[in-house]
Amino acid sequence: MDRFKKVFRTLGLILLIILALSGIGIAPPKTRELFTDKEVTIELVEGKKDGSEESKT
């Protein structure tokens, strides 16, 4: 019985290593359809150029 447990643990470990190396993991794969219609939007913040900032005293 002890030998069976040792073999079962070793096979389980090997299975987990194979899954990790192949990149499958336990979670189901997610599709990239969620990101196909997204546009890259970047907001550019520009500083004031006319000198109307608060006066420094």
Side-chain angles (χ1 to χ4, degrees), residues 4 8 10-11 13 15 17-18 21 28 31 33 38 42-43 45-48 57:
F4 177 72
F8 189 68
T10 306
L11 289 176
L13 180 64
L15 177 66
I17 291 173
I18 290 172
L21 289 175
T31 60
E33 294 174 3
K38 299 273 182 169
I42 299 174
E43 182 178 343
V45 179
E46 297 180 2
K48 297 180 181 179
T57 55

Side-chain angles (χ1 to χ4, degrees), residues 6-44:
K6 186 175 182 179
V7 169
F8 189 68
R9 283 185 191 170
T10 306
L11 289 176
L13 180 64
I14 291 172
L15 177 66
L16 286 176
I17 291 173
I18 290 172
L19 286 174
L21 289 175
S22 64
I24 294 174
I26 297 175
K30 296 182 179 180
T31 60
R32 296 195 50 91
E33 294 174 3
L34 299 173
F35 305 107
T36 54
D37 295 333
K38 299 273 182 169
E39 294 182 13
V40 177
T41 56
I42 299 174
E43 182 178 343
L44 179 62

Side-chain angles (χ1 to χ4, degrees), residues 45-57:
V45 179
E46 297 180 2
K48 297 180 181 179
K49 294 182 181 178
D50 60 354
S52 63
E53 296 179 18
E54 295 180 17
S55 62
K56 297 177 184 176
T57 55

